[in-house]
Amino acid sequence: MKTKTNKEKVMETNRPSTARIIAGILVLLCTFPIFVYGSFGIYDLMQFPYQKMSFFEHIWGKLLVILVSGTIFLTLLGVVTIFLLIALKIWSGKREKVKHIIYPFPAVLTTEIADFYKVERADDQFLIFTTPSQIRGFLIGIGAAILCTGIFLFCKEIDNPYSEIYWPVSSGAFILAPFILLVSQVFAHKRRFVLDRMNGTVTFPRHLFFPRCTVPFSKVIPGYSKGTMNLAFRFCFLHPRTKAAIPVLAEYDSDWWPFYVLYMDKNRPLPQGEVFDPYREKDFLRRKAAGFPKPIYPSISLVTDAYMGYIYGTDEFKQRLTKMKHGIIHCYTRVSWYCQKNEIKYENPNDLVLIGLWKKQFVFKLFAPENVEYIVIPDDTVLTDCFLCDSETDEVKYIK
C-alpha cells in the first residue's frame, strides 16, 4: 500500500473540506438576489424623471442626485464584496498562526533604519515608530485624476438630466469613489505604533473606521504584504480588528519577527543594534535585580547579553578581551561546530555557556549557570569537562 508523503499530507490539510466548500457556495448564492435586486433598483433610478423635480433646477439639487445615486452604487458594490470575502474566508479556513519564537537570526535595528522609519523612541522600555505609506502619493494621484475627469464631465453635462453622469455607476465611479479616496489619503492618520516592552503590549494606529487599540503582544499576528514596485514582500502586523496587513518597522526579509519577539521579551537582553547600546547595562541590571526571571518566549537562537552587545565581566576580563584576535561570538561558533562534528548534543544554544578566559583561551561549558560574571581564570587552575577555544588560532579542544 502506497504511503502518503509529508507534502501530500500538508496539501490535504490545506485543502478546504466539503462542508466549507458548500458553505462558501451558499454565501455566494446569497449575493445573487442582492445583486439582482440592486441592479433593478439602479435601473429604476436611471429612469427617474429628475427634470420634473424643482430641486434639480439648483446646483445643490444636481449634486444631491450625484450623491444619492453614487452612494447606492457603492453600497451595492460594498455588500457584494463583503459576501465574497466571507466566502473566501470560509474556503480558506483557519490558518496556522506563527508562533512567538525567537528564530535565528533576529534582525538588527541600525541607525539608518531607525532614521528612515522616524523612530521616536527606542530603548529598554518603548519602541515607538511611524511607518511611511509607499502608495499614498500614488493613490492621491489616481483619485485626483479620476475626480477631475468626473468634475469635467459633470460641468459639461450639468443641465442634461439624461446624461450618463447622473447614473449610479458613473457618479459612484467617477465622482463619489475618487472623492472618498482622495480625502481619506490626504487626511490619513499617521501609522504610529507603540510597543510597550515592560507591559508586553502593542498599540496599533487608527485603521479605516477603527480607533487606535492596544493588544497584548502574545495576540499579535505577523504577516506580509506585496511591496510597491517591488517583487519582495514587506513584513507587517495584522490589525486586530480587520486582519489587514499593516507594514511595520522592517526591511524586506523575515528576520524581523524574531526581532520583535526578542524585544518584547523583557526577561531577555535587548536585540542587536547600536540604537539599544546606551540602555543595555540598565536593562541588564534590572533583570539582575529581579533575579533573572524565566524568559517569556522560547528561543532556538543564541540569546545572551554578550551576543547582543553587553559584556558582563570583570574589569580584567574586559581588558583582556580587547586584546584578543577573535571575539566571544566567533569562538562560540567554533565550539558549536565542534560539538556538531563530534555529535555532542544539547537542545538550546544557550546551554553552551561562556565561563571566562584561561590564558589566551575562551572557556565554555555545557549546562553551566547563565548570567554569571565572566572572569579571568588563574593560569594554574586545573580545568575539567569544558571546551577551550584559542583566541588566536580559533582551535577548539575538549578537556574531560
PDB file of all heavy atoms in Angstrom, residues 110-124:
ATOM      1  N   THR A 110      19.486  49.150  12.924  1.00  0.00           N
ATOM      2  CA  THR A 110      20.580  50.095  12.743  1.00  0.00           C
ATOM      3  C   THR A 110      20.071  51.531  12.839  1.00  0.00           C
ATOM      4  O   THR A 110      18.861  51.785  12.790  1.00  0.00           O
ATOM      5  CB  THR A 110      21.246  49.884  11.385  1.00  0.00           C
ATOM      6  OG1 THR A 110      20.273  50.127  10.347  1.00  0.00           O
ATOM      7  CG2 THR A 110      21.756  48.457  11.250  1.00  0.00           C
ATOM      8  N   THR A 111      21.003  52.456  12.928  1.00  0.00           N
ATOM      9  CA  THR A 111      20.635  53.871  12.992  1.00  0.00           C
ATOM     10  C   THR A 111      19.973  54.327  11.703  1.00  0.00           C
ATOM     11  O   THR A 111      19.033  55.134  11.719  1.00  0.00           O
ATOM     12  CB  THR A 111      21.883  54.727  13.266  1.00  0.00           C
ATOM     13  OG1 THR A 111      22.515  54.269  14.468  1.00  0.00           O
ATOM     14  CG2 THR A 111      21.523  56.197  13.423  1.00  0.00           C
ATOM     15  N   GLU A 112      20.449  53.781  10.570  1.00  0.00           N
ATOM     16  CA  GLU A 112      19.871  54.155   9.275  1.00  0.00           C
ATOM     17  C   GLU A 112      18.402  53.743   9.190  1.00  0.00           C
ATOM     18  O   GLU A 112      17.549  54.510   8.725  1.00  0.00           O
ATOM     19  CB  GLU A 112      20.667  53.515   8.134  1.00  0.00           C
ATOM     20  CG  GLU A 112      22.070  54.061   7.953  1.00  0.00           C
ATOM     21  CD  GLU A 112      23.049  53.527   8.994  1.00  0.00           C
ATOM     22  OE1 GLU A 112      22.671  52.572   9.723  1.00  0.00           O
ATOM     23  OE2 GLU A 112      24.155  54.065   9.099  1.00  0.00           O
ATOM     24  N   ILE A 113      18.095  52.536   9.617  1.00  0.00           N
ATOM     25  CA  ILE A 113      16.708  52.059   9.585  1.00  0.00           C
ATOM     26  C   ILE A 113      15.852  52.872  10.548  1.00  0.00           C
ATOM     27  O   ILE A 113      14.714  53.237  10.235  1.00  0.00           O
ATOM     28  CB  ILE A 113      16.647  50.559   9.933  1.00  0.00           C
ATOM     29  CG1 ILE A 113      17.405  49.739   8.883  1.00  0.00           C
ATOM     30  CG2 ILE A 113      15.207  50.079  10.027  1.00  0.00           C
ATOM     31  CD1 ILE A 113      17.473  48.263   9.198  1.00  0.00           C
ATOM     32  N   ALA A 114      16.396  53.173  11.728  1.00  0.00           N
ATOM     33  CA  ALA A 114      15.645  53.966  12.716  1.00  0.00           C
ATOM     34  C   ALA A 114      15.337  55.354  12.180  1.00  0.00           C
ATOM     35  O   ALA A 114      14.243  55.887  12.386  1.00  0.00           O
ATOM     36  CB  ALA A 114      16.440  54.054  14.013  1.00  0.00           C
ATOM     37  N   ASP A 115      16.281  55.959  11.470  1.00  0.00           N
ATOM     38  CA  ASP A 115      16.046  57.289  10.906  1.00  0.00           C
ATOM     39  C   ASP A 115      15.024  57.244   9.774  1.00  0.00           C
ATOM     40  O   ASP A 115      14.179  58.146   9.648  1.00  0.00           O
ATOM     41  CB  ASP A 115      17.362  57.879  10.390  1.00  0.00           C
ATOM     42  CG  ASP A 115      18.338  58.186  11.520  1.00  0.00           C
ATOM     43  OD1 ASP A 115      17.875  58.316  12.666  1.00  0.00           O
ATOM     44  OD2 ASP A 115      19.545  58.276  11.253  1.00  0.00           O
ATOM     45  N   PHE A 116      15.083  56.204   8.945  1.00  0.00           N
ATOM     46  CA  PHE A 116      14.160  56.102   7.812  1.00  0.00           C
ATOM     47  C   PHE A 116      12.723  55.960   8.292  1.00  0.00           C
ATOM     48  O   PHE A 116      11.806  56.551   7.711  1.00  0.00           O
ATOM     49  CB  PHE A 116      14.537  54.899   6.937  1.00  0.00           C
ATOM     50  CG  PHE A 116      13.592  54.668   5.791  1.00  0.00           C
ATOM     51  CD1 PHE A 116      13.644  55.456   4.651  1.00  0.00           C
ATOM     52  CD2 PHE A 116      12.632  53.667   5.863  1.00  0.00           C
ATOM     53  CE1 PHE A 116      12.770  55.252   3.601  1.00  0.00           C
ATOM     54  CE2 PHE A 116      11.754  53.456   4.816  1.00  0.00           C
ATOM     55  CZ  PHE A 116      11.822  54.248   3.675  1.00  0.00           C
ATOM     56  N   TYR A 117      12.519  55.186   9.343  1.00  0.00           N
ATOM     57  CA  TYR A 117      11.168  54.964   9.857  1.00  0.00           C
ATOM     58  C   TYR A 117      10.766  55.970  10.931  1.00  0.00           C
ATOM     59  O   TYR A 117       9.734  55.789  11.589  1.00  0.00           O
ATOM     60  CB  TYR A 117      11.038  53.544  10.405  1.00  0.00           C
ATOM     61  CG  TYR A 117      10.947  52.499   9.312  1.00  0.00           C
ATOM     62  CD1 TYR A 117      12.070  51.806   8.908  1.00  0.00           C
ATOM     63  CD2 TYR A 117       9.745  52.228   8.679  1.00  0.00           C
ATOM     64  CE1 TYR A 117      11.996  50.858   7.902  1.00  0.00           C
ATOM     65  CE2 TYR A 117       9.662  51.286   7.677  1.00  0.00           C
ATOM     66  CZ  TYR A 117      10.793  50.597   7.294  1.00  0.00           C
ATOM     67  OH  TYR A 117      10.721  49.664   6.295  1.00  0.00           O
ATOM     68  N   LYS A 118      11.585  57.005  11.095  1.00  0.00           N
ATOM     69  CA  LYS A 118      11.267  58.072  12.045  1.00  0.00           C
ATOM     70  C   LYS A 118      10.946  57.512  13.425  1.00  0.00           C
ATOM     71  O   LYS A 118       9.896  57.802  14.009  1.00  0.00           O
ATOM     72  CB  LYS A 118      10.102  58.919  11.530  1.00  0.00           C
ATOM     73  CG  LYS A 118      10.373  59.584  10.180  1.00  0.00           C
ATOM     74  CD  LYS A 118       9.165  60.375   9.696  1.00  0.00           C
ATOM     75  CE  LYS A 118       9.447  61.009   8.342  1.00  0.00           C
ATOM     76  NZ  LYS A 118       8.269  61.772   7.826  1.00  0.00           N
ATOM     77  N   VAL A 119      11.857  56.702  13.924  1.00  0.00           N
ATOM     78  CA  VAL A 119      11.678  56.107  15.244  1.00  0.00           C
ATOM     79  C   VAL A 119      11.734  57.204  16.301  1.00  0.00           C
ATOM     80  O   VAL A 119      12.726  57.919  16.423  1.00  0.00           O
ATOM     81  CB  VAL A 119      12.755  55.043  15.517  1.00  0.00           C
ATOM     82  CG1 VAL A 119      12.635  54.522  16.946  1.00  0.00           C
ATOM     83  CG2 VAL A 119      12.614  53.890  14.524  1.00  0.00           C
ATOM     84  N   GLU A 120      10.660  57.368  17.041  1.00  0.00           N
ATOM     85  CA  GLU A 120      10.586  58.390  18.079  1.00  0.00           C
ATOM     86  C   GLU A 120      11.334  57.969  19.335  1.00  0.00           C
ATOM     87  O   GLU A 120      11.957  58.793  20.006  1.00  0.00           O
ATOM     88  CB  GLU A 120       9.128  58.681  18.434  1.00  0.00           C
ATOM     89  CG  GLU A 120       8.279  59.193  17.285  1.00  0.00           C
ATOM     90  CD  GLU A 120       6.846  59.414  17.705  1.00  0.00           C
ATOM     91  OE1 GLU A 120       6.616  59.686  18.906  1.00  0.00           O
ATOM     92  OE2 GLU A 120       5.948  59.312  16.851  1.00  0.00           O
ATOM     93  N   ARG A 121      11.251  56.688  19.628  1.00  0.00           N
ATOM     94  CA  ARG A 121      11.878  56.202  20.851  1.00  0.00           C
ATOM     95  C   ARG A 121      12.245  54.733  20.682  1.00  0.00           C
ATOM     96  O   ARG A 121      11.453  53.937  20.190  1.00  0.00           O
ATOM     97  CB  ARG A 121      10.927  56.383  22.037  1.00  0.00           C
ATOM     98  CG  ARG A 121      11.493  55.955  23.377  1.00  0.00           C
ATOM     99  CD  ARG A 121      10.532  56.294  24.504  1.00  0.00           C
ATOM    100  NE  ARG A 121      11.023  55.815  25.787  1.00  0.00           N
ATOM    101  CZ  ARG A 121      10.386  55.985  26.951  1.00  0.00           C
ATOM    102  NH1 ARG A 121       9.244  56.656  26.977  1.00  0.00           N
ATOM    103  NH2 ARG A 121      10.894  55.517  28.081  1.00  0.00           N
ATOM    104  N   ALA A 122      13.454  54.397  21.073  1.00  0.00           N
ATOM    105  CA  ALA A 122      13.918  53.017  21.023  1.00  0.00           C
ATOM    106  C   ALA A 122      14.847  52.798  22.201  1.00  0.00           C
ATOM    107  O   ALA A 122      16.026  53.154  22.157  1.00  0.00           O
ATOM    108  CB  ALA A 122      14.618  52.726  19.699  1.00  0.00           C
ATOM    109  N   ASP A 123      14.321  52.224  23.280  1.00  0.00           N
ATOM    110  CA  ASP A 123      15.121  51.985  24.469  1.00  0.00           C
ATOM    111  C   ASP A 123      14.669  50.699  25.133  1.00  0.00           C
ATOM    112  O   ASP A 123      14.038  49.848  24.496  1.00  0.00           O
ATOM    113  CB  ASP A 123      15.050  53.177  25.427  1.00  0.00           C
ATOM    114  CG  ASP A 123      13.606  53.575  25.766  1.00  0.00           C
ATOM    115  OD1 ASP A 123      12.737  52.687  25.791  1.00  0.00           O
ATOM    116  OD2 ASP A 123      13.348  54.771  26.012  1.00  0.00           O
ATOM    117  N   ASP A 124      14.970  50.552  26.406  1.00  0.00           N
ATOM    118  CA  ASP A 124      14.646  49.324  27.117  1.00  0.00           C
ATOM    119  C   ASP A 124      13.191  49.255  27.553  1.00  0.00           C
ATOM    120  O   ASP A 124      12.765  48.225  28.102  1.00  0.00           O
ATOM    121  CB  ASP A 124      15.547  49.177  28.346  1.00  0.00           C
ATOM    122  CG  ASP A 124      15.431  50.381  29.277  1.00  0.00           C
ATOM    123  OD1 ASP A 124      15.335  51.508  28.757  1.00  0.00           O
ATOM    124  OD2 ASP A 124      15.413  50.181  30.504  1.00  0.00           O
TER     125      ASP A 124
END
